[in-house]
Amino acid sequence: MPGETAGDVAGEAAPAPAPVPQRLMAAATRLFSERGYDRTSVQEIVEAAGVTKGALYHYFGSKDDLLHEIYGRLLRLQQDRLDAYADAQEPVEERLRRAAADVVVTTIENLDDALIFFRSMHQLSPEKQKQVRAERRHYHERFRDLVAEGQRSGVFNAATPADLVVDYHFGSVHHLSTWYRPDGRLGPQEVADHLADLLLRALRP
């Protein structure tokens, strides 16, 4: 019948809408990426998400909380994966290579989140900026510990301080949002493999 969908004909129910927090995060991520954090209003976010301002304030409290959570969800993912690689029963060179590649892949797969964060972190409240820096420092320290472990055991060249090695790799990661394009010549894993290989080659004795 006209106006009926395949689901209606088959007696299937329409898919349930996404939970409100998920809809708010999706709308905020898209708008912050397209327009910038400071040029996006709370009203625009709730309209795009199809909810009320009351719903936003119930789940997030403020636009600032949304920005903080956009970064937080990416860092939690990357921290969990780094911990898994670091704790694995494999040679340190393989653990570092996997960790180095993974942060590239997860950044590319969440490029809008990364772009928003590096463009807008300074607009977080001082308290949230302090929290974010502490979370990032914890992540970088766990990564550095892998480099230092390899240097102590003689697997890696110890001439370059481990902190500088970390800065070298993450400098490349932080610039991904400025040049990577999904329709480009290299896919996420290919970029990740190249950057991880560069890191490992720089560390070989």
Side-chain angles (χ1 to χ4, degrees), residues 19 35 57 59 66 68 74 81 99 103 108 131 135 150 160 171 182:
R35 304 181 186 181
Y57 294 130
Y59 288 104
L66 275 168
H68 184 243
L74 176 56
R81 293 171 70 91
V103 70
I108 290 175
Q131 182 181 348
E135 292 166 347
T160 304

Side-chain angles (χ1 to χ4, degrees), residues 20-177:
V20 170
Q22 186 176 326
R23 287 155 59 190
L24 285 165
M25 286 291 292
T29 301
R30 178 175 61 80
L31 291 171
F32 291 167
S33 176
E34 291 175 354
R35 304 181 186 181
Y37 173 80
D38 54 340
R39 292 188 295 276
T40 300
S41 69
V42 168
Q43 185 61 39
E44 288 170 329
I45 294 169
V46 298
E47 287 179 1
V51 302
T52 64
K53 283 186 179 180
L56 184 148
Y57 294 130
H58 173 74
Y59 288 104
F60 293 101
S62 66
K63 191 173 78 163
D64 186 62
D65 286 341
L66 275 168
L67 178 59
H68 184 243
E69 178 58 20
I70 286 171
Y71 176 68
R73 66 181 176 184
L74 176 56
L75 182 59
R76 287 192 297 272
L77 168 69
Q78 292 178 329
Q79 184 70 61
D80 288 346
R81 293 171 70 91
L82 173 59
D83 289 342
Y85 289 125
D87 293 337
Q89 299 300 311
E90 294 180 322
V92 66
E93 183 172 4
E94 182 61 23
R95 284 182 282 140
L96 179 63
R97 191 189 188 289
R98 289 177 182 272
D102 183 74
V103 70
V104 175
V105 171
T106 51
T107 296
I108 290 175
E109 289 177 344
N110 298 276
L111 212 55
D112 282 347
D113 291 25
L115 173 63
I116 291 164
F117 173 72
F118 289 113
R119 191 168 60 189
S120 306
M121 177 188 166
H122 67 283
Q123 294 174 302
L124 286 170
S125 67
E127 180 181 348
K128 286 191 175 67
Q129 286 190 45
K130 183 179 179 181
Q131 182 181 348
V132 164
R133 289 192 180 99
E135 292 166 347
R136 288 180 66 191
R137 185 165 57 250
H138 176 67
Y139 181 90
H140 285 195
E141 286 173 351
R142 191 80 205 268
F143 194 96
R144 182 199 62 200
D145 288 346
L146 284 172
V147 177
E149 178 187 341
Q151 290 178 327
R152 287 193 304 270
S153 64
V155 174
F156 299 148
N157 189 324
T160 304
D163 284 322
L164 191 56
V165 174
V166 174
D167 289 341
Y168 164 77
H169 185 65
F170 282 90
S172 300
V173 174
H174 295 165
H175 279 92
L176 286 168
S177 61

